[in-house]
């Protein structure tokens, strides 16, 4: 069976750069149920995953993070407050990644080595700071121009490789794109996974795996949460992109897990564990 890397960005339905941190307090935390659903699906298929956890969420749900870890999955960082890297000063970013790393390491009692930028918004200077703070890999490169937020950093041209050394002390695990008529279409998961019918997704994934030898899938708890408050549907198109296919996601993930051997980043890239 073909192998796929399975990742989850552990945040809740309101953790958006559109909503300042001060507005998060008091919002209903809904992620536990979809996370448990994902954990059951992974367990049922003897699969493992990498969970990129937001520090703000970890502070409020430490037992859930401990349980994910206890069930054999990798805990990595998604930063603390889900602010775009490009919206922060280097000092603010350093504080954000340092804080979230410390919170996660305190909860699981182990080192955390991986990082994913909110909305894949990594920038050049952020990579150097990641290495300085002890991260060994980044998984934020979405080599597509379909969204202005997506990472534009110096090694972006190397996309198409399953992993590569991006700085002296940091590896990059890029997200997959499917090339169609010269356009790089994001194919890794999240809203794209909800939008594409499963057979279409599957055909693209197979093509990417054949060309690159690797496929990094990602999903959010809110991608499975059909009952979430719909506060972000400011336009028809945005609402469609954000909320389409929520109720079918779990069945599609089940399909994916039976079609591929899914593993965490640690499992797939053992050299990224622990040393520079
Ligand atoms: Zn996120």
């Amino acid at each position: 069976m073909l192998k796929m890397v399975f990742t989850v960005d552990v945040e809740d339905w309101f953790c958006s750069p559109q909503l300042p941190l001060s507005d998060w307090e008091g919002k209903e935390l809904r992620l536990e149920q979809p996370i448990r659903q994902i954990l059951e699906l992974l367990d049922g298929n003897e699969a493992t995953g990498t969970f990129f956890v937001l520090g703000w969420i970890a502070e409020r749900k430490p037992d859930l993070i401990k349980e994910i870890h206890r069930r054999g999955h990798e805990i990595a960082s998604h930063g603390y407050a889900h602010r775009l890297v490009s919206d922060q000063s280097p000092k603010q970013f350093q504080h954000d990644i340092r804080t979230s790393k410390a919170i996660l390491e305190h909860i699981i009692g182990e080192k955390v080595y991986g990082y994913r930028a909110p909305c894949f918004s990594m920038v050049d200077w952020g990579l150097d700071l990641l290495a300085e703070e002890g991260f060994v890999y980044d998984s934020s490169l979405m080599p597509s121009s379909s969204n202005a937020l997506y990472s534009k950093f110096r090694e972006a041209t190397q996309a198409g490789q399953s992993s590569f050394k991006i700085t002296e002390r940091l590896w990059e695990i890029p997200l997959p794109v499917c090339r169609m008529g010269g356009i790089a279409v994001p194919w890794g998961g999240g809203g794209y996974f909800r939008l594409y019918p499963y057979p279409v997704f599957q055909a693209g994934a197979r093509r990417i795996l054949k060309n690159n030898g690797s496929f990094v899938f990602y999903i959010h708890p809110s991608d499975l949460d059909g009952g979430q408050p719909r506060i972000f549907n400011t336009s028809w198109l945005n609402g469609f992109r954000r909320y389409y296919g929520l109720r079918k996601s779990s069945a599609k993930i089940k399909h994916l897990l039976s079609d591929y051997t899914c593993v965490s980043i640690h499992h797939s890239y053992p050299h990224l564990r622990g040393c520079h």
Side-chain angles (χ1 to χ4, degrees):
M1 204 157 33
L2 288 167
K3 198 169 82 177
M4 193 176 263
V5 172
F6 192 98
T7 69
V8 183
D9 292 353
V10 182
E11 58 196 58
D12 219 321
W13 59 275
F14 52 83
C15 300
S16 159
Q18 291 172 38
L19 208 63
L21 194 60
S22 52
D23 287 356
W24 292 10
E25 217 57 71
K27 294 269 185 299
E28 182 193 4
L29 287 169
R30 298 179 55 89
L31 82 168
E32 188 146 348
Q33 202 258 337
I35 288 283
R36 290 196 180 284
Q37 227 176 319
I38 294 169
L39 288 173
E40 291 306 314
L41 288 169
L42 289 171
D43 275 4
N45 289 274
E46 293 179 14
T48 57
T50 294
F51 288 68
F52 291 96
V53 183
L54 215 53
W56 190 91
I57 291 287
E59 280 180 335
R60 282 149 187 86
K61 290 281 174 189
D63 290 343
L64 182 64
I65 309 310
K66 268 185 204 152
E67 188 183 339
I68 297 169
H69 182 245
R70 188 179 49 74
R71 287 165 86 151
H73 306 293
E74 177 189 2
I75 301 294
S77 167
H78 195 33
Y80 181 82
H82 211 271
R83 286 187 63 197
L84 301 176
V85 182
S86 42
D87 278 358
Q88 299 178 69
S89 69
K91 250 202 153 53
Q92 288 170 327
F93 176 67
Q94 188 167 31
H95 179 71
D96 182 279
I97 56 174
R98 188 179 287 175
T99 308
S100 66
K101 192 171 189 288
I103 292 168
L104 295 173
E105 291 178 349
H106 178 72
I107 290 173
I108 64 170
E110 258 180 35
K111 288 269 176 218
V112 161
Y113 298 111
Y115 175 78
R116 173 170 291 156
C119 309
F120 309 111
S121 62
M122 184 49 78
V123 294
D124 264 345
W125 53 258
L127 298 166
D128 298 324
L129 288 173
L130 280 181
E132 237 174 73
E133 293 300 317
F135 288 94
V136 177
Y137 74 86
D138 173 64
S139 182
S140 308
L141 175 57
M142 178 76 91
S144 166
S145 51
S146 68
N147 187 322
L149 298 177
Y150 291 162
S151 314
K152 291 170 194 64
F153 51 82
R154 54 193 171 232
E155 304 293 339
T157 48
Q158 293 197 36
Q161 298 180 24
S162 67
S163 69
F164 54 91
K165 209 167 186 181
I166 194 154
T167 74
E168 196 42 49
R169 295 187 297 164
L170 195 79
W171 285 77
E172 177 64 31
I173 316 287
L175 282 303
V177 292
C178 198
R179 298 198 181 271
M180 290 181 200
I183 299 169
V185 183
W187 216 264
Y192 304 107
F193 183 65
R194 281 188 283 107
L195 287 173
Y196 308 152
Y198 186 75
V200 175
F201 174 82
Q202 160 82 320
R206 282 191 182 276
R207 204 166 103 195
I208 294 165
L209 272 164
K210 198 169 148 235
N211 294 337
N212 296 3
S214 160
F215 189 100
V216 177
F217 175 79
Y218 71 93
I219 198 83
H220 309 90
S222 62
D223 286 318
L224 285 79
D225 181 7
Q228 65 191 279
R230 303 192 173 199
I231 61 169
F232 293 110
N233 49 347
T234 46
S235 71
W236 180 86
L237 186 63
N238 278 344
F240 180 76
R241 265 205 296 252
R242 186 172 272 271
Y243 301 121
Y244 178 79
L246 295 172
R247 294 180 198 279
K248 289 186 190 150
S249 295
S250 152
K252 280 165 106 176
I253 294 173
K254 205 170 173 179
H255 235 113
L256 182 91
L257 288 164
S258 65
D259 287 344
Y260 299 91
T261 301
C262 288
V263 294
S264 66
I265 289 178
H266 263 177
H267 193 280
S268 196
Y269 303 93
H271 63 288
L272 300 182
R273 201 188 294 241
C275 58
H276 281 108

